[in-house]
Amino acid sequence: DAALLRPGRFDRQVVIERPDWRDRVKILEVHTRKMPLGADVDLELIGKGTPGMVGADLQSLVNEAALIAAREDAETVGMDHFERAKDRQLLGMERKLFMSDREKQITAVHESGHALVAKCLPNTDPVYKITVIPRGQALGVTQQLPKDDRYHFQRSYLLARMAVMLGGRAAEKAVFGEYSTGAQNDLKQVMDLAEKMVCQWGMSDQLGPLSYPRGEEHPFLGRKLASEKTFSEKTAWIIDEEIKKMVTTAQRCAADIIAGNRKVLDALAQRLLEEESIDNEQ
Ligand code: ZN
């Protein structure tokens, strides 16, 4: 909570690193101590499969798994319960929502586009699951899960990530010949990422290794707070151009992959419509 960090509130801040997988296994051990676990439960596997999660996430994962098991009158909490709890946490709660066949089809094509670009590009996180079951605010989800804990992100990884984000929209364009409103969040994420690459991480050759503050996102209002401008109008113009160039490159990359693998895209979307959820192996 940003309000807690206002000057004068605390005279000392202690930064706690996110736990790595060994820490996560230990945290899981603590939270499952009093829980009747099934023989198949492998905490090490769960720990490795939850990169980025902190103690509170892991606690709620364990609670969720216990709730699912209790609802089914299971004697013990099994690996399957943990898997489903993880799905809920990563993808959101399933939501009852009537979707017309057309809507479902658009969603299936969109999510397949994300997954296909992620699969085709090297240097991307493995696809964990794609689904067209509405969860939370989203009609469909493509979830990627890094293989390891990551602390540094290289430029090529970030560019690939942008292409994956734009893959949904590129697939819609290829199949239906036009865009829908479904990509709003994707576009926002792409823009945020490109802006950080250019303004904060010095990843544009044109601008060089300089930091350009462009205002920080307000935690509650969801919009940017103006910050004092420390660069010229001309630089502002180049920043916009560089961001645009990065996004356009990623967009072209996504569109090329979709065009080159059109049959795979169609097959994937079809399978997704039938199964509603597909995991990495499938
Ligand atoms: Zn999307």
Side-chain angles (χ1 to χ4, degrees):
D1 183 344
L4 286 175
L5 299 176
R6 270 207 303 266
R9 284 255 160 137
F10 295 100
D11 60 1
R12 187 173 297 193
Q13 290 176 18
V14 181
V15 177
I16 301 169
E17 300 275 332
R18 277 170 194 273
D20 66 19
W21 75 264
R22 284 183 191 83
D23 303 329
R24 289 195 297 270
V25 172
K26 293 214 176 94
I27 294 171
L28 285 165
E29 278 167 10
V30 169
H31 290 302
T32 53
R33 206 183 282 143
K34 288 179 187 157
M35 199 177 264
L37 290 180
D40 62 337
V41 173
D42 183 346
L43 292 182
E44 192 174 311
L45 205 65
I46 303 172
K48 281 185 176 166
T50 46
M53 283 199 189
V54 296
D57 300 325
L58 293 167
Q59 183 180 20
S60 88
L61 175 77
V62 169
N63 283 343
E64 191 69 47
L67 282 174
I68 295 173
R71 236 172 263 138
E72 291 174 0
D73 281 329
E75 299 271 319
T76 56
V77 185
M79 202 61 174
D80 173 56
H81 300 127
F82 278 100
E83 273 301 319
R84 271 144 63 199
K86 193 168 119 186
D87 274 3
R88 265 193 202 173
Q89 231 170 8
L90 291 175
L91 310 172
M93 276 282 238
E94 287 183 16
R95 185 161 60 112
K96 280 220 171 67
L97 177 83
F98 178 76
M99 265 174 36
S100 69
D101 287 347
R102 179 73 177 167
E103 290 268 342
K104 252 198 164 143
Q105 201 193 351
I106 295 174
T107 310
V109 166
H110 181 103
E111 300 307 330
S112 299
H114 285 308
L116 184 62
V117 176
K119 278 270 176 191
C120 289
L121 281 179
N123 218 347
T124 53
D125 295 325
V127 176
Y128 168 67
K129 208 166 255 187
I130 39 176
T131 154
V132 289
I133 302 169
R135 287 168 189 269
Q137 289 292 309
L139 297 180
V141 184
T142 301
Q143 179 72 38
Q144 288 169 272
L145 208 56
K147 268 191 253 106
D148 295 302
D149 295 302
R150 273 176 182 272
Y151 302 99
H152 292 298
F153 300 100
Q154 286 178 308
R155 191 174 183 273
S156 56
Y157 169 85
L158 296 170
L159 283 174
R161 197 180 161 106
M162 280 166 62
V164 172
M165 288 170 180
L166 290 167
R169 198 167 165 272
E172 284 186 46
K173 178 77 173 166
V175 174
F176 304 108
E178 61 180 340
Y179 299 117
S180 74
T181 52
Q184 184 183 347
N185 198 38
D186 296 334
L187 292 181
K188 188 179 177 300
Q189 284 186 314
V190 167
M191 183 72 188
D192 286 351
L193 195 54
E195 193 183 309
K196 280 201 181 112
M197 288 169 74
V198 171
C199 298
Q200 294 180 17
W201 300 328
M203 290 181 180
S204 138
D205 293 332
Q206 272 255 32
L207 289 158
L210 296 172
S211 173
Y212 301 97
R214 296 233 302 179
E216 286 192 13
E217 184 121 354
H218 189 281
F220 306 121
L221 297 177
R223 63 177 162 80
K224 291 215 166 120
L225 297 172
S227 73
E228 212 174 320
K229 231 187 184 168
T230 55
F231 47 86
S232 68
E233 285 301 322
K234 189 179 160 226
T235 305
W237 189 83
I238 302 175
I239 289 174
D240 287 340
E241 285 301 300
E242 285 294 284
I243 290 174
K244 198 170 152 194
K245 212 158 76 188
M246 250 176 212
V247 177
T248 319
T249 310
Q251 143 100 20
R252 213 171 296 136
C253 168
D256 286 349
I257 289 172
I258 299 290
N261 297 279
R262 186 53 209 278
K263 279 196 182 133
V264 185
L265 176 77
D266 290 341
L268 187 56
Q270 188 54 40
R271 180 85 190 269
L272 186 54
L273 268 180
E274 287 159 14
E275 306 265 342
E276 294 198 321
S277 268
I278 303 183
D279 65 20
N280 191 28
E281 232 150 275
Q282 287 174 295

